[in-house]
Amino acid sequence: MVRRRWLGALLSLAGLICCSGAGADSQRGESQPASASAERTASKQVDSLLAQEIFLQQSDIALAPRAADEVFLRRASLDLIGELPTPSEITLFLLDPAQDKRARLVERLLADSRFGINWGRYWRDVIMYRRVEDRALVASRALEQFLTDQLNRNAGWDRIAGEFIEA
């Protein structure tokens, strides 16, 4: 799943999740659940890459400890959908005893339509920030809607960029 690989890598590197998730069926773009051991292996690979960074090797800075569940929920919700979790979502998440609740939370947030809205707005701002003329603002709404739709459809960045070039 393109969205999962893209965000999974970002979130893993940011220390928000401990696993990178599933493989993808390249022809259909559907995700396949990964085993717990594959998730642990991916987590260890990310940790190893972070530990190998020159900055970390040359300093006495230790990596931050694993975030508490309520902190993880808040950070993941803000990062992915741009909103704080509701009190009921907090309660349900904190009472969930499952080991994979963080991975399931990320999957649920990625499937939420607010994911596309949040990231469509972000990329609209990135793209339109350096506009050379104010007429570009006329297209900003259409750009935001296009990006929202593409991200919620889980389109690959190669497809999105291709459509930009074709336009």
Side-chain angles (χ1 to χ4, degrees):
M1 180 184 249
V2 173
R3 184 183 326 170
R4 177 177 223 181
R5 285 184 296 200
W6 174 65
L7 277 169
L10 289 176
L11 292 173
S12 293
L13 289 173
L16 291 177
I17 61 174
C18 64
C19 56
S20 66
D25 181 333
S26 60
Q27 295 193 337
R28 292 182 308 207
E30 298 173 359
S31 67
Q32 299 171 350
S35 68
S37 65
E39 291 174 351
R40 282 189 296 275
T41 300
S43 175
K44 288 179 184 177
Q45 288 174 339
V46 169
D47 289 344
S48 173
L49 290 171
L50 286 172
Q52 291 173 13
E53 286 294 317
I54 295 172
F55 176 75
L56 292 176
Q57 288 178 353
Q58 294 178 350
S59 68
D60 293 330
I61 298 173
L63 295 176
R66 180 180 171 102
D69 282 344
E70 62 274 10
V71 173
F72 176 85
L73 174 62
R74 180 179 51 82
R75 288 178 182 173
S77 295
L78 285 171
D79 285 347
L80 295 177
I81 63 171
E83 296 179 16
L84 289 169
T86 64
S88 62
E89 289 172 328
I90 295 169
T91 302
L92 289 172
F93 186 75
L94 294 177
L95 292 176
D96 186 353
Q99 294 289 334
D100 67 339
K101 69 181 179 180
R102 291 182 179 208
R104 286 187 294 116
L105 170 71
V106 170
E107 285 300 317
R108 183 175 56 81
L109 293 173
L110 289 173
D112 192 310
S113 64
R114 294 175 293 178
F115 167 80
I117 294 168
N118 182 46
W119 285 95
R121 288 177 182 157
Y122 170 81
W123 285 110
R124 177 212 56 206
D125 291 346
V126 168
I127 292 167
M128 299 303 262
Y129 175 74
R130 295 207 176 252
R131 67 186 184 279
V132 292
E133 56 184 75
D134 288 336
R135 289 186 298 173
L137 292 176
V138 173
S140 68
R141 275 285 215 213
L143 175 62
E144 179 183 334
Q145 187 59 52
F146 168 77
L147 290 168
T148 296
D149 292 343
Q150 294 301 310
L151 291 169
N152 279 334
R153 286 187 188 132
N154 199 24
W157 283 108
D158 56 341
R159 181 174 173 201
I160 294 171
E163 294 203 23
F164 280 169
I165 293 168
E166 289 176 8

